[in-house]
Amino acid sequence: QVQLVESGGGLVQAGGSLRLSCAVSGDTFSTYNVGWFRQAPDKEREFVAIISWSGESTTYLNSVKGRFTVSRDNAKNTVYLQMNSLKPEDTAVYYCAADPSRYSRSSKNYAYWGRGTQVTVSS
């Protein structure tokens, strides 16, 4: 069973930065594609970024391009989401998700999920 644990969330002022981490255990992490999603109150969960198992491919939500960077360290079984120039509209619970075969923007295509970490950006 694959387990994912997010960390690094918190309260930050607009324009600030946070780095989220997603620690993965329970299987061969280096073979999994990992995505980041977020869900704000009263909104649907939305795709934020994804990184392929090799780290060679990344895809971003348009509104975070140039501000967020996804990366991974397979030796540490960890995926990171560096978030810069944060805006109040980035406020949400952020989740990481993993799948051994799919590289997808759809949350329906991920087999494993973490419990999320809260990111709050004040104006």
Side-chain angles (χ1 to χ4, degrees):
Q1 184 73 9
V2 176
Q3 295 182 333
L4 296 85
V5 179
E6 303 93 338
S7 62
L11 173 64
V12 64
Q13 289 187 335
S17 298
L18 285 174
R19 188 177 80 157
L20 305 184
S21 298
C22 173
V24 183
S25 61
D27 202 344
T28 307
F29 168 72
S30 60
T31 63
Y32 281 71
N33 300 314
V34 176
W36 285 96
F37 294 80
R38 66 187 181 188
Q39 188 165 17
D42 300 323
K43 292 189 176 180
E44 293 187 353
R45 189 170 298 187
E46 70 172 349
F47 164 81
V48 175
I50 182 175
I51 186 165
S52 64
W53 65 271
S54 65
E56 292 182 354
S57 296
T58 57
T59 304
Y60 296 92
L61 177 69
N62 282 342
S63 63
V64 309
K65 282 182 181 177
R67 300 189 298 123
F68 291 11
T69 302
V70 60
S71 62
R72 66 191 295 158
D73 185 338
N74 285 347
K76 294 182 178 180
N77 287 5
T78 302
V79 171
Y80 304 98
L81 184 67
Q82 178 67 45
M83 306 186 296
N84 299 328
S85 301
L86 282 161
K87 304 175 181 180
E89 51 263 43
D90 294 318
T91 295
V93 177
Y94 282 71
Y95 301 88
C96 61
D99 194 273
S101 59
R102 300 182 181 97
Y103 183 91
S104 173
R105 291 172 174 259
S106 173
S107 61
K108 297 178 181 180
N109 290 330
Y110 286 82
Y112 304 102
W113 288 83
R115 294 187 176 184
T117 185
Q118 176 71 46
V119 171
T120 303
V121 184
S122 63
S123 58

